[in-house]
Amino acid sequence: MALGSLRPSPLVEQATEHLREQILGGQWPVGTKLPGETALAASLGVGRSTVREAVRALAEAGLVKSRQGAGVFVVSTEPHEDFGTRLRRAAVAEVYEVRAMIEVQAARLAAERRTDADIEAMVAALAARRLAAAADDAAFVDADIALHSAIVAAARNPVLTDLFAEFAPALREALVDLVDLLGLREADPATGDAAHAALVSAIASGAAGEAEHILDAELSATLNRLRR
């Protein structure tokens, strides 16, 4: 089966996509054994190492599985979605629900674990958020996320920090849409400044319950508006 030669770069990504199309398009049904590396390499016009990497990517997506001594077989026509892909497809309200779950607990932990350096970072981020009130929605959202990132970092949990970092791009996209959808900055370009200042103050003073309450109230109010 001739699959068509590929452009020089990026070869692995292109090879993966070509093979994925064959599987999702039904040319190779579940249970089918893929052609060998040499045959696939010739059809795609790439080296065997490129094919090997492409097949590995398909295996990670749950589409194929290697059986020792038998070859590589198609095991599914529904690829697994990684976390980032699923987030990009999520509705704004869904993203916000997860945001509340992550950040409210992060605020409590930050109040319990923050260092002087963390406090300085949050104060600086709050000041930058205020300055960004004069900018467009995207710049303001970036400044807002930077402040929340500083709060999450102050929780001193590397797993939580990594989770928020992966979550942040989808959150940014959702927030830019949200600001426009709800007109959050029409009356107040620095919307939420008082709550954010109170949040930073609570964390700095070690008031974990207060920090948790402030952020929960703010996020819940926005989420309720989204659900109406």
Side-chain angles (χ1 to χ4, degrees), residues 5-220:
S5 296
L6 303 176
R7 299 186 302 278
S9 178
L11 292 179
V12 172
E13 289 84 353
Q14 291 179 62
T16 302
E17 186 56 31
H18 275 251
L19 296 178
R20 184 194 303 267
E21 289 174 357
Q22 299 299 309
I23 294 172
L24 301 186
Q27 288 86 347
W28 291 326
V30 172
T32 301
K33 179 182 176 180
L34 295 189
E37 283 184 2
T38 300
L40 287 175
S43 295
L44 294 169
V46 298
R48 292 177 60 185
S49 61
T50 298
V51 169
R52 198 172 301 121
E53 290 298 319
V55 170
R56 182 177 293 116
L58 294 176
E60 290 175 354
L63 295 175
V64 302
K65 186 173 183 179
S66 178
R67 298 174 184 167
Q68 188 171 8
V72 178
F73 292 81
V74 177
V75 295
S76 176
T77 56
E78 297 181 2
H80 299 324
E81 287 185 334
D82 60 29
F83 186 55
T85 301
R86 180 162 296 182
L87 279 174
R88 286 190 293 273
R89 291 177 55 247
V92 174
E94 293 171 335
V95 172
Y96 229 75
E97 285 177 351
V98 176
R99 178 189 189 186
M101 295 175 192
I102 294 173
E103 291 196 50
V104 170
Q105 178 63 16
R108 167 174 282 280
L109 292 176
E112 295 171 349
R113 301 174 178 177
R114 80 282 181 269
T115 64
D116 289 343
D118 291 326
I119 295 172
E120 290 177 5
M122 285 184 285
V123 170
L126 178 62
R129 187 182 188 277
R130 287 171 172 164
L131 288 175
D136 61 18
D137 288 348
F140 181 75
V141 166
D142 285 338
D144 181 74
I145 291 177
L147 172 55
H148 286 272
S149 295
I151 293 171
V152 171
R156 296 286 159 183
N157 183 317
V159 175
L160 187 61
T161 300
D162 289 346
L163 179 60
F164 187 79
E166 188 165 359
F167 181 72
L171 175 60
R172 180 189 187 277
E173 185 175 343
L175 283 176
V176 172
D177 290 340
L178 186 64
V179 167
D180 179 60
L181 178 67
L182 300 181
L184 295 179
R185 302 182 67 214
E186 291 176 1
D188 180 10
T191 181
D193 181 69
H196 283 77
L199 176 61
V200 170
S201 177
I203 293 173
S205 63
E210 183 181 355
E212 182 179 28
H213 174 73
I214 291 170
L215 189 52
D216 183 50
E218 182 197 5
L219 297 181
S220 294

